[in-house]
Amino acid sequence: MMTLRIGQGFDIHRLEAGDGVTLGGLWIACPYRLVAHSDGDVVLHAVMDAMLGALALGDIGELFPDTDARYQGADSAQLTRIVRDRCRHLGYVVGNLDLTILCEQPKISPHRATMREVIAQVLDIPVDRISVKATTCEQLGSIGRGEGLAVQAIVLMLAHA
């Protein structure tokens, strides 16, 4: 019998004037930057939290605390590989991943295919196991006013032999 574990993750960061954002391991040039201790990749932060949550391993704040200078400006793709390897060590791999990015800017659709490919490489899984969707907040709330960007991730973790 195959063991399945489901996890969900959420992350949000404030935006300020800048030259671009990293989302799903992909640099996207735009007139903003994400305010964060690490590189601020809200996509991969939500992915990591979903994976950790599925296996009851806490969250990224416990694993990579923002009080630790080692993680200042850290590459979230590398941190995600650490989480991936920790899950593998416990016998689990990502079965599929469903992401929803909530933002007004930047537009996600021109970057969706490449973002899926980068995430697949980071997680070392086929790209057809990753869904990336985006929606605006219809100018409602802080995200709708363009003050931030958020991501919701849902992951199915599969036990592997």
Side-chain angles (χ1 to χ4, degrees):
M1 182 171 118
M2 183 171 289
T3 302
L4 308 174
R5 304 284 294 264
I6 298 170
Q8 70 88 29
F10 177 83
D11 197 33
I12 186 169
H13 283 284
R14 189 167 41 88
L15 288 168
E16 67 180 19
D19 61 353
V21 295
T22 300
L23 296 175
L26 179 66
W27 175 255
I28 300 172
C30 64
Y32 311 102
R33 74 175 204 88
L34 289 159
V35 179
H37 183 70
S38 68
D39 64 6
D41 188 334
V42 291
V43 171
L44 291 181
H45 294 182
V47 168
M48 286 186 276
D49 270 344
M51 294 169 68
L52 292 167
L55 301 181
L57 297 174
D59 61 40
I60 62 172
E62 293 174 57
L63 201 56
F64 310 113
D66 63 7
T67 55
D68 190 330
R70 291 180 296 170
Y71 304 116
Q72 179 69 39
D75 177 359
S76 293
Q78 185 55 37
L79 300 180
T80 305
R81 288 181 190 97
I82 292 169
V83 170
R84 174 202 67 198
D85 292 347
R86 182 172 284 205
C87 294
R88 280 185 178 165
H89 179 73
L90 294 173
Y92 287 86
V93 296
V94 172
N96 75 295
L97 173 65
D98 186 22
L99 299 165
T100 303
I101 303 170
L102 296 95
C103 65
E104 298 298 318
Q105 292 291 329
K107 293 298 181 193
I108 301 303
S109 59
H111 309 286
R112 184 185 331 268
T114 304
M115 191 180 301
R116 289 178 65 220
E117 291 170 8
V118 172
I119 295 168
Q121 290 171 359
V122 169
L123 295 176
D124 194 24
I125 62 172
V127 71
D128 67 354
R129 294 186 189 182
I130 299 167
S131 170
V132 174
K133 305 178 304 296
T135 187
T136 67
C137 290
E138 301 297 330
Q139 300 177 347
L140 297 172
S142 60
I143 293 171
R145 290 188 300 271
E147 297 170 8
L149 195 150
V151 177
Q152 179 179 2
I154 301 172
V155 68
L156 175 67
M157 301 296 290
L158 304 173
H160 68 91

